[in-house]
Amino acid sequence: MNCNGFHPEDLPRVLYFLGATGPTGPTGPSGSGTGTTGPTGPTGDTGPTGPTGDTGPTGPTGDTGPTGPTGDTGPTGPTGDTGPTGPTGDTGPTGPTGDTGPAPTLTIGDVTTGAPGSDALATITGTAPNYTLNLTIPQGPTGPTGA
């Protein structure tokens, strides 16, 4: 006898024979009660970060923002090279004929002798219509003397 008062020899002897499995029966009705939910288990460790996904498509362009303030004027840059001369323009029309001015008066002023071999020189002084002509004439070579 064992400690529970169970005697294996008191059990009837049963022989089992296994045959083919029969078809599954219909599902029984659901139970009418609800059980209590058990306690929440501990949160596991965070897993490793997955690979970066593909870049998504570009979104639409947003509205243009307001214009910012105008900045200070920068320093003047260096003057560039002079460009080529352009073509000569057409000749303009002839202007009207002006009034006839007063006839000039020319007076001979100083006439001096310059050094031999120097250049002749003429200067005009005065204001219209009265002018003075001053002359410097170089000295010529000395001629032969007669005996």
Side-chain angles (χ1 to χ4, degrees), residues 20-125:
T21 301
T24 301
T27 301
S30 296
S32 61
T34 53
T36 58
T37 302
T40 302
T43 302
D45 293 336
T46 301
T49 301
T52 301
D54 294 337
T55 300
T58 300
T61 300
D63 294 336
T64 300
T67 300
T70 300
D72 294 336
T73 300
T76 300
T79 301
D81 296 336
T82 300
T85 301
T88 301
D90 295 336
T91 301
T94 301
T97 300
D99 296 335
T100 300
T105 300
L106 187 60
T107 303
I108 299 296
D110 295 329
V111 178
T112 57
T113 301
S118 64
D119 290 333
L121 179 65
T123 58
I124 297 178
T125 58

